[in-house]
Amino acid sequence: MSSRPADEPLSGSRHVTVVLVEDDPPTRDHLAETLAACDGIRLLASAGTLQAARDACERFLPTVLITDLQLPDGHGADLIREVRHRYPATEIMVISVLGDESSVVTAIRAGASGYILKDSEPVDMVEAVHGLIEGRSPISASIARYIIRRVQDGSFGEDRKPAPLLTPRETDILWGIAKGFTYNDIADRLGLSRQTVPSYIKNIYRKLEVNSRSEAVFEAIERKLIRLGE
């Protein structure tokens, strides 16, 4: 792994360097074009999966990581946590359609310094990137208002542990595990290849902080992620 700090300019460039993570190709292309067209910003790589994002961050050590939360092979909060630990100089901003309390709090606790929604204008994203570098924490106005209301009415869950952020596919697989289905059964029911099911299960184990099928089922029922009567 390179030892170059994340904020060191490449080849004498003064550009803010960015790695973009977004799994939807048209959205990723649109965001990439917006960033690439801006003076002072250099887009180093765009990625559509958690693993590709990890590889890009290790290779380029960007000044700023912009990431979605819902990725096909994991959750963006895992990436945020890893990047914050391994590359502390990298600023991290979430760009997502998710504006609920659990998503926002989880991302910020993982290490994100900014959080903007995908309905923001392109200029907002660019200004947010520069704001991060200048020490600000850009947050979409609707999220800021929501947080303020929740704090004022005392319902903002500061001490409440957020529920694990499983994807719908992971929840379906977890339900299959609870029902005692084999990997082949789960793959057939969900239209997946047999080889991909173990990868999903590893992600489930990691998010639930367990090491076995029985522990995963117990934890999922306790947290009301699945109901066996469904």
Side-chain angles (χ1 to χ4, degrees):
M1 182 178 66
S2 170
S3 60
R4 180 183 61 80
D7 55 352
E8 178 182 319
L10 293 173
S11 304
S13 170
R14 294 182 179 275
H15 286 74
V16 174
T17 58
V18 175
V19 165
L20 171 67
V21 186
E22 164 61 54
D23 68 318
D24 179 64
T27 302
R28 184 171 64 247
D29 291 344
H30 173 69
L31 294 175
E33 290 174 3
T34 299
L35 291 167
C38 294
D39 293 335
I41 295 178
R42 181 181 177 190
L43 180 63
L44 299 176
S46 58
T49 66
L50 186 62
Q51 187 57 54
R54 287 173 174 142
D55 294 342
C57 287
E58 181 170 355
R59 178 182 178 187
F60 295 111
L61 301 181
T63 314
V64 174
L65 168 67
I66 301 174
T67 184
D68 194 1
L69 292 179
Q70 295 178 313
L71 300 173
D73 56 343
H75 196 273
D78 295 328
L79 175 65
I80 294 168
R81 196 173 294 109
E82 293 169 17
V83 170
R84 175 60 62 229
H85 175 71
R86 298 184 65 187
Y87 320 114
T90 296
E91 296 288 351
I92 304 171
M93 181 172 68
V94 170
I95 180 165
S96 176
V97 297
L98 303 174
D100 59 283
E101 176 186 334
S102 180
S103 297
V104 174
V105 171
T106 298
I108 292 174
R109 284 178 173 166
S113 297
Y115 198 117
I116 62 175
L117 298 176
K118 285 183 180 177
D119 60 2
S120 300
E121 293 295 325
V123 67
D124 291 341
M125 182 182 65
V126 175
E127 290 177 353
V129 170
H130 289 296
L132 281 174
I133 300 304
E134 294 167 3
R136 297 195 295 273
S137 295
I139 298 178
S140 288
S142 59
I143 293 178
R145 286 193 295 270
Y146 171 76
I147 292 175
I148 289 171
R149 286 196 302 269
R150 297 298 298 272
V151 171
Q152 289 175 339
D153 66 19
S155 62
F156 192 70
E158 284 289 338
D159 297 323
R160 187 170 69 245
K161 184 178 180 180
L165 294 170
L166 299 181
T167 65
R169 178 67 76 201
E170 289 168 346
T171 301
D172 290 340
I173 290 174
L174 188 59
W175 183 86
I177 293 173
K179 287 290 188 179
F181 295 148
T182 66
Y183 287 2
N184 286 337
D185 291 336
I186 293 172
D188 290 341
R189 285 171 176 267
L190 299 180
L192 301 172
S193 70
R194 168 64 176 77
Q195 291 74 23
T196 62
V197 174
S199 296
Y200 278 109
I201 291 176
K202 286 181 181 178
N203 284 335
I204 293 170
Y205 285 4
R206 184 180 69 252
K207 291 180 180 182
L208 294 179
E209 300 178 356
V210 299
N211 299 299
S212 68
R213 293 166 68 110
S214 59
E215 286 181 313
V217 172
F218 177 81
E219 191 71 12
I221 294 173
E222 282 292 300
R223 300 190 188 191
K224 295 181 172 56
L225 298 177
I226 58 172
R227 294 182 178 85
L228 293 184
E230 293 178 347

